[in-house]
Amino acid sequence: MPKIKTIRTKKAPEGWELIEPTITEIGNQIRDVENQAYSDKKKPEQFWEIYKLHHQRSRYIYEMYYYKKEITRELYEFCLQEQYGDATLIAKWKKTGYEKLCCLHCISKSQHNFGGTCICRVPKAKLEEGKLVQCKQCGCRGCASGD
């Protein structure tokens, strides 16, 4: 969640106008999802949409800086400092094999049996044919880079 803007908050660098509409739109979508009633869903399923939108916002900042090169380093660091994007998730995306990582829960060894990783990290070629795989933490259906 981005920090609260006050009088002392540092002003956004040049180029903020370019990405602000998309970031605020995704932020509004996150707020809408948080305010929905979840009476018919299991507890972990309640957060799947929030994880998806959080990933989308971080991926947008990452691609705008590294691939499209439409924002400056100063603006990129501002977005990470103000928590518009997840810095640790973006750091993993830069590493080989983690380019499509959905969330940090899927690679956290402490949250899985026997110290492994999530089922969504297994390449689809190594799974049984026709088997539907879905992560229990974030609802991902496969984020292994080797697909």
Side-chain angles (χ1 to χ4, degrees):
M1 197 68 183
K3 295 180 181 177
I4 297 172
K5 294 179 184 170
T6 62
I7 296 171
R8 293 186 213 159
T9 304
K10 191 168 87 172
K11 291 199 173 195
E14 189 177 325
W16 174 248
E17 311 82 36
L18 177 69
I19 64 171
E20 183 182 23
T22 306
I23 288 181
T24 54
E25 179 186 334
I26 295 171
N28 291 337
Q29 289 176 358
I30 290 173
R31 255 183 243 106
D32 292 342
V33 169
E34 287 173 347
N35 293 332
Q36 286 179 352
Y38 293 109
S39 59
D40 60 333
K41 293 184 180 180
K42 296 178 184 174
K43 188 173 182 180
E45 292 176 7
Q46 295 174 0
F47 299 106
W48 288 359
E49 189 67 24
I50 295 172
Y51 281 130
K52 186 178 119 190
L53 291 169
H54 176 71
H55 174 274
Q56 182 180 355
R57 185 169 57 185
S58 296
R59 180 59 89 173
Y60 175 73
I61 293 168
Y62 174 74
E63 287 180 354
M64 290 295 281
Y65 181 68
Y66 285 103
Y67 293 119
K68 297 179 182 176
K69 300 189 186 312
E70 292 183 12
I71 61 174
T72 62
R73 181 169 185 82
E74 184 182 355
L75 180 57
Y76 171 73
E77 289 176 355
F78 172 81
C79 290
L80 297 182
Q81 182 182 7
E82 295 295 318
Q83 298 174 353
Y84 288 109
D86 189 352
T88 52
L89 185 59
I90 290 174
K92 287 292 181 186
W93 286 337
K94 291 189 245 176
K95 293 183 177 183
T96 306
Y98 294 98
E99 295 90 359
K100 297 180 184 177
L101 182 65
C102 58
C103 70
L104 295 172
H105 293 286
C106 292
I107 58 170
S108 176
K109 294 183 182 231
S110 64
Q111 296 182 357
H112 300 287
N113 293 340
F114 309 113
T117 58
C118 185
I119 188 70
C120 68
R121 295 293 299 154
V122 178
K124 290 181 182 169
K126 294 186 178 182
L127 294 172
E128 297 174 20
E129 257 187 69
K131 183 178 180 183
L132 179 66
V133 175
Q134 190 168 18
C135 175
K136 293 179 182 177
Q137 293 286 332
C138 63
C140 173
R141 293 198 174 169
C143 61
S145 295
D147 292 344

